Amino acid sequence: RDFPRSTMFAKALVLALALVGSNAFAPGFQSGFAGTRAVQHTSNRRITGPMMGGNEKQLKSRIASVTNTRKITEAMRLVAAAKVRRAQQAVLATRPFSETLQSVFSGLISRLGQESIDLPLLESREVKKVTLVVMSGDRGLCGGYNSFIIKKSEARIKELTEQGIEVELVTVGKKCVGYFAKRDTPVLKAFDMGQAPTADEASKISDMLLASYLAGETDCVEIMYTQFVSLIASNPSVRTMLPLSPSGIEAEGDEVFQLTTKDGQFSVESESKPPAEAADFPKDMIFEQDPLQILNAILPLYINGQMLRMLQESVASELAARMQAMQAASDNAKTLKTDLSREYNRARQAAVTQQIMEIVAGASAATE
Amino acid sequence: SLDSPASIARSRIMFAVRAVRPLARAAPAVRAFSEAPAASVMTLNFSLPHMNIYADKTVDRVIIPGAEGVYGVTAGHTPIVSQLKPGVVEIVHEAAGEAEKYFVSGGFALTHDTSVTDISAFEAVKLDDLDAEAVKTQYSAAASAFGSAAEGSAEKAAAGVQMDTAKAMGDALGVAL
């Protein structure tokens, strides 16, 4: 009699795993699942007949646990949506600063004109070693987000090592920290990503990279992050942070996203903004410091801003991926509940039919 | 880049002078009238990497801690661009009103010929939010690190910068260090 129950349990486990993805046992979520209260089958039913068999009880408790799972995944989806909105507000808040920087930078470049700008952060050198910064999330349950960026990083590492270039890593986000810690490529430093990156955190990373670059310990710094495209799509991409390219800084337009609703569904509206206009430096402008010195001072600020922006975009992409994953899980839970309910009703009806047949058979035997 | 001893000294003196004449403007030699049609009011944009403190705010005048010395800006000021050193940005909204003070860690300030001033600082806090006790502890820690570090080493330079910043905060709060 134990045999059918254990296969039922095994099936329930496999289905639950399929629902939630292989990250079901990520810390923090397991308690939600394991602690699900199995709703007791109450006896306020019209027919309290004899033995229904263990099948119906199992099905009833499964239906209850699937309903609970659906509530949890729905809640996680809405929490992720709220956080996406906050993440996008944070991105918007950084724009005035970077726009001013961009405008002053372009103005200074045009003011310096044909003079060759000899700044350590702008000159490119022969690349023998590359520092690759990988940005992933801290937690799972976000679909393919973490594995996409890790795969892309591995491909880039392979590409570089095939060219004979040494690679070292800076990992941001517990998921890639854990992954790369067990692999061959040396990790310079590991950071946590968090859900709301601050300018302080970004500057810790970029100051370390700047110091390393200026000391000659590395020849190029590349960042692997996930660009936010829409709620469904995001784009793991690589971007060279150091050495800086003046034309890159000047020409960079921007795309701003806003999480809104359309027809009762979440959607994202994007708006592209052109690069900031070069600041006008009239002839009577007083330069308290040499323009070149000011330019040199602006570059680290620009790099800090870029780092913060990439962290924020990665977080926004992670949250959007989590929204999608939880949406899929909720939909699966809904379908599963419908199927289970149908099966439960069929089993119940079969039991009732069986009872009736037994009664009728007994009655007809008695009357003979 | 390290400040030359002369500019450090000059800025210390400027601090002392400013303490005696609180509402006086900067040295007249710096001020001049721009060729462009002078706007009658000045507009301030004060931004940090993670937020905007003021955007297109009409103010009466701003006192800016430039790296070469503290200077004040009102409507019609000559265009000027300057790096900031750790110090206090004072914003006076109304002509007769009290100054709103922010302690900034550094950055740069740009005044256009349209009387628009952009201040971009890396970190800015309201002066009221600075803790005098913490500043004293920081200064003594930095001073001892400075004393014990090897001559010409990175630690000595870093400790020197920390001392200067703590000193600037102490000056801003009126705390003797």
Side-chain angles (χ1 to χ4, degrees):
Chain A
R1 281 249 316 272
D2 274 346
F3 186 69
R5 286 197 20 220
S6 66
T7 47
M8 267 322 225
F9 182 71
K11 270 196 217 162
L13 198 61
V14 166
L15 274 163
L17 279 173
L19 254 187
V20 180
S22 64
N23 289 318
F25 298 112
F29 187 70
Q30 188 168 17
S31 58
F33 204 76
T36 303
R37 239 172 356 105
V39 173
Q40 286 310 308
H41 180 65
T42 51
S43 53
N44 59 350
R45 294 168 350 122
R46 290 179 298 281
I47 303 169
T48 337
M51 294 308 296
M52 300 274 279
N55 216 6
E56 283 83 37
K57 279 207 183 79
Q58 284 293 329
L59 279 172
K60 198 76 178 158
S61 72
R62 272 189 69 197
I63 291 172
S65 83
V66 166
T67 315
N68 268 344
T69 306
R70 180 154 187 242
K71 283 187 204 158
I72 292 169
T73 52
E74 257 308 292
M76 286 187 73
R77 184 178 77 96
L78 293 172
V79 165
K83 287 185 181 171
V84 165
R85 193 161 165 80
R86 237 184 293 152
Q88 287 169 337
Q89 306 286 51
V91 167
L92 273 178
T94 65
R95 292 205 69 246
F97 187 82
S98 18
E99 273 186 342
T100 315
L101 272 188
Q102 194 180 30
S103 126
V104 172
F105 183 89
S106 312
L108 282 172
I109 292 276
S110 56
R111 177 58 176 258
L112 290 167
Q114 296 308 310
E115 291 173 47
S116 67
I117 299 164
D118 188 19
L119 290 175
L121 290 178
L122 295 174
E123 68 186 31
S124 51
R125 17 175 134 133
E126 191 207 332
V127 181
K128 291 199 217 68
K129 183 171 178 186
V130 168
T131 305
L132 194 61
V133 180
V134 184
M135 296 186 181
S136 78
D138 278 342
R139 306 175 333 183
L141 295 177
C142 42
Y145 172 77
N146 289 316
S147 57
F148 283 160
I149 195 75
I150 288 175
K151 251 186 249 163
K152 187 126 186 167
S153 310
E154 285 280 27
R156 183 76 185 139
I157 294 173
K158 186 155 177 258
E159 223 180 341
L160 289 168
T161 37
E162 270 165 14
Q163 293 172 19
I165 300 173
E166 199 188 326
V167 181
E168 83 178 344
L169 293 173
V170 171
T171 43
V172 185
K174 291 198 178 87
K175 285 286 172 182
C176 70
V177 168
Y179 179 89
F180 284 110
K182 297 182 220 141
R183 303 242 155 22
D184 295 331
T185 323
V187 176
L188 181 62
K189 193 138 191 235
F191 294 92
D192 276 347
M193 175 63 90
Q195 292 276 284
T198 57
D200 218 18
E201 290 166 22
S203 73
K204 279 203 191 80
I205 307 174
S206 53
D207 286 346
M208 187 195 78
L209 292 168
L210 265 173
S212 170
Y213 181 82
L214 289 171
E217 287 161 8
T218 178
D219 303 314
C220 180
V221 175
E222 289 181 354
I223 320 276
M224 306 256 8
Y225 73 113
T226 315
Q227 249 182 338
F228 187 94
V229 177
S230 73
L231 278 182
I232 324 174
S234 51
N235 189 19
S237 40
V238 64
R239 186 183 177 137
T240 307
M241 175 167 263
L242 290 167
L244 288 170
S245 90
S247 52
I249 300 177
E250 290 181 275
E252 201 171 337
D254 204 0
E255 216 173 340
V256 174
F257 298 96
Q258 277 291 329
L259 183 71
T260 53
T261 52
K262 213 197 294 185
D263 305 328
Q265 298 289 319
F266 284 120
S267 79
V268 159
E269 281 168 6
S270 76
E271 195 192 326
S272 27
K273 303 214 186 247
E277 260 178 50
D280 182 32
F281 290 136
K283 287 205 190 59
D284 58 344
M285 183 92 167
I286 300 174
F287 284 87
E288 287 274 289
Q289 287 82 28
D290 188 53
L292 204 63
Q293 187 183 343
I294 296 184
L295 196 62
N296 206 20
I298 285 181
L299 293 177
L301 285 180
Y302 176 79
I303 288 170
N304 280 333
Q306 285 297 296
M307 179 64 76
L308 178 63
R309 179 60 189 270
M310 283 190 266
L311 285 172
Q312 287 173 333
E313 255 195 85
S314 297
V315 165
S317 306
E318 178 196 340
L319 291 166
R322 185 162 296 124
M323 271 177 73
Q324 289 309 305
M326 291 299 101
Q327 173 84 63
S330 296
D331 294 341
N332 287 344
K334 188 173 171 195
T335 320
L336 188 61
K337 183 183 172 186
T338 318
D339 292 343
L340 284 175
S341 298
R342 209 174 291 138
E343 206 183 316
Y344 170 77
N345 282 326
R346 242 181 274 138
R348 188 178 54 83
Q349 285 159 4
V352 169
T353 312
Q354 182 77 6
Q355 280 179 40
I356 292 177
M357 279 171 59
E358 282 169 7
I359 292 170
V360 167
S364 60
T367 52
E368 269 165 22
Chain B
S1 62
L2 296 169
D3 282 340
S4 69
S7 70
I8 293 176
R10 183 172 153 220
S11 64
R12 293 284 168 259
I13 292 167
M14 299 276 311
F15 262 132
V17 165
R18 199 172 64 72
V20 171
R21 306 184 283 142
L23 290 177
R25 294 188 182 151
V30 174
R31 299 209 49 231
F33 288 106
S34 163
E35 290 161 8
S40 54
V41 286
M42 81 172 268
T43 319
L44 174 68
N45 294 321
F46 188 2
S47 59
L48 304 180
H50 55 278
M51 65 183 270
N52 217 7
I53 299 182
Y54 287 121
D56 290 335
K57 184 96 170 47
T58 306
V59 297
D60 185 56
R61 61 182 183 278
V62 185
I63 296 174
I64 297 176
E68 301 293 323
V70 179
Y71 65 100
V73 180
T74 56
H77 197 285
T78 315
I80 176 168
V81 59
S82 168
Q83 260 178 269
L84 301 180
K85 65 163 184 273
V88 180
V89 167
E90 291 184 35
I91 304 169
V92 180
H93 297 277
E94 304 293 321
E98 275 286 307
E100 193 187 1
K101 300 185 189 182
Y102 287 90
F103 189 88
V104 298
S105 67
F108 66 95
L110 168 61
T111 303
H112 300 262
D113 54 5
T114 48
S115 289
V116 174
T117 301
D118 296 319
I119 304 180
S120 302
F122 191 71
E123 189 67 70
V125 293
K126 285 207 149 218
L127 203 57
D128 302 326
D129 294 339
L130 284 180
D131 178 12
E133 285 310 310
V135 172
K136 282 189 200 151
T137 344
Q138 261 186 42
Y139 182 78
S140 36
S144 56
F146 186 78
S148 61
E151 206 47 55
S153 69
E155 290 84 13
K156 197 167 180 88
V161 171
Q162 281 168 10
M163 269 177 70
D164 286 342
T165 316
K167 189 95 183 31
M169 286 196 271
D171 287 339
L173 290 169
V175 167
L177 288 171

